[in-house]
Amino acid sequence: MLAFVCFIFVCCTCFMCFTFYAAIHFIICGDHCSLTYSAGALGGGMMLQGLSVDSSGPSFTPLVVVELVSDAKEETIGWLLNKIRDQQHDGGAELLVEQLGPGVGAQEKENPNLFLVGATWQRLLSGAEDVGLFKESTDGSMRAFTCANKHNFKDFGGDGDGFLSMAECQYIIKHELDTLRAKDETHVPGYKQAKLYPGKSIIRRLLSKRILIQIFPLHDKEELKRLSFSWYKKVKLSLQPLDDIRHYYGEGQALYFGFLEYFTFALVPMALFGVPYYLFDWEDYDKYVVFAVFNLIWCTVILELWKRCSASLAYRWGTLSRKKAFEEPRPGFHGVLGFNPVTGREEPLYPNIKRQLRIYLVSLPFVLLCLYLSFCVMMVYFLMEGWALSVYDQEPTFWTGVLLFIPSIIYAVVIEAMNLIYRYAAEFLTEWENHRLESSYQNHLVLKVLVFNFFNCFASLFYIAFVVQDMVLLRQSLATLLITSQILNQFMEAFLPYWLQRRRNKKMIRKVQKRRILEDKELPLAEQVRLEADMSTYLGTFDDYLELFLLFGYVSLFSCVYPLAAVLVVLNNVTEVYSDAFKMCHVFKRPFSDPAANIGVWQLAFEAMSVIAVVTNFALIGLSPQVKTYFSDSETHLILWTVAAEHGLMAFKFILTFLIPDIPKHIQIKLARLEFESLEALKKKRQLHGGKCLKPRSSGRWCSEEERRAYKY
């Protein structure tokens, strides 16, 4: 049996290594047959140098694309474009916009309503001040940018060309489009059913009524090429270019890849400790006490250290002390028109009691029903497992030995399918609950998905460990579930995106080949924009963090009985870096920058998992024969000592949380100094104005530029 298990493990490890090699090979070599960004329509690394467009291209640097439905009314298009171009004091965004021209061999089915949006440099600088962008000043600290003291910031020279990254400029334009509001309009011109009222966000209304298809930022060919080369086009044992990722994609994406990198390196000590422990104690399934104690310390320390690492990155990128923008209602939020006392505007209002009734009378019972179905599937799995064991006991051959792993493999595939189906149901339910804010929607969605995924993935392991108390079966089930889920994830995240990307480009290749026969030019801007418009939309880091959360659970909860779990997760994470980088650069549209200061609610999710890991590992220690020998006379004493030790370590864990500051000391000093200087500057201005309080006028404009500078700086 030992030889057979070793054979299975070697085969699975070889397959994962092959998957890793093949994925990286496809990613590195795949660009030779890809035209997604190789043609160079988006040339020029500096913002004001423009893009390499033909003579019919726009007269400004296009940064963002706005796509309306193909049958949009002319009056709607004209009204929206005027809103985008109008001056700010007239209620417009004061941006530049032009319609995208027809592409090569234009066909009737192509959507003509694609519009390129850009802005003057001065408009971008004023927008950077409006969104509260933090930049590095000449004294090395991070400060909120203001146009009044722009020359006090590092890298601001001349007119400031190149001071803002392309991602920051696109984020500013997105912010300005989102703040477009209706004035006297009662409905969207041409669509009487699309009601408007003073203060209503125009873009959100167009999205909710499906008049506006999408808004997405454009890629920059030269910058993307440099990033791709340093990020994933060469296999190397080095850190990821997090600053370059942040510069191109924004802080939210950079923090995810930073956490993925940190998690991978944090697993290395556990992997190094686990390999010899696994090899030398293979037959002694019950000798896992030492590794369980190591698990407890490891999962507690790494999350506390990550907070400090995250704070350092956020400060360096200017998001740690950046104030969170005021949240507007979600596009899908609906209700009875009423008065918002906070904003002073009319907007839909939905009674909170109705939302709570939907949550507790519909959503909660549905989640409980799904958990019950998952429990039923788990029991079917144990029936299959029992049948396979009975067959093996009657006739222990090679093939009946293989049969032992079949139920776990089938169960792992069913788990992945159930997680996927439940995800769609959770999104539908959360949307139906009608949450007003996007943050509230995300929190409820994360809670629903985490509860089900945790139960669905780990319930069988808890049942085997604490009900059946079969450590051999626990090790086998954990290994099978982990390896099978990783193989499925690698297929979905490495091979499938590469295949879809090649299929998507075949049509464009034929069109561009005709163009190159006639004239040796690069891919025109119109074709590049349409190619990006057809790419898949990046839905955020939700699924990526969820995958890491489940892997963290496998490692922290039960890896003491299967020490090689950390090794498999390290291999998976290394492949994940390359596959995610490839998808970001060549499969998905470029996402808008997300000025995140941390990983958000996922930090709480990982900490909750670490608390569960403390309880689980102590319970496993209490079940070990070594510990039971010390309490052979009384099982009650064993339980009491186990609970007391668990509570002691839990207390130590929370003490450690307070002892290790979330923000490093030197950053705390810099933030305190910035706050002190701001208060001193405000105090001096008050003295100059006879003790009067500085505040904006009722019109929303400041009394003077000096007042504005003192208030913000």
Side-chain angles (χ1 to χ4, degrees), residues 430 437-449 600-601:
T430 311
L437 302 178
E438 183 65 28
S439 59
S440 177
Y441 171 86
Q442 290 295 332
N443 290 340
H444 281 79
L445 178 61
V446 168
L447 181 61
K448 289 185 183 70
V449 173
V601 68

Side-chain angles (χ1 to χ4, degrees), residues 1-3 278-286 472 475:
M1 184 64 184
L2 171 62
Y278 178 84
L279 294 177
F280 295 117
D281 282 340
W282 173 268
E283 293 294 344
D284 299 322
Y285 292 102
D286 298 318
V472 179
R475 172 179 288 191

Side-chain angles (χ1 to χ4, degrees), residues 330 334 350 354-370 421-435 440-442 444-449 452:
R330 297 175 56 248
H334 59 274
Y350 189 78
K354 287 187 177 181
R355 184 180 301 112
Q356 296 301 322
L357 288 175
R358 290 187 174 191
I359 292 174
Y360 290 108
L361 297 183
V362 179
S363 297
L364 181 59
F366 176 79
V367 172
L368 294 177
L369 175 62
C370 291
I421 296 172
Y422 177 82
R423 170 68 182 277
Y424 289 115
E427 289 179 348
F428 173 81
L429 272 180
T430 311
E431 184 72 32
W432 178 73
E433 290 168 2
N434 196 27
H435 295 277
S440 177
Y441 171 86
Q442 290 295 332
H444 281 79
L445 178 61
V446 168
L447 181 61
K448 289 185 183 70
V449 173
F452 180 80

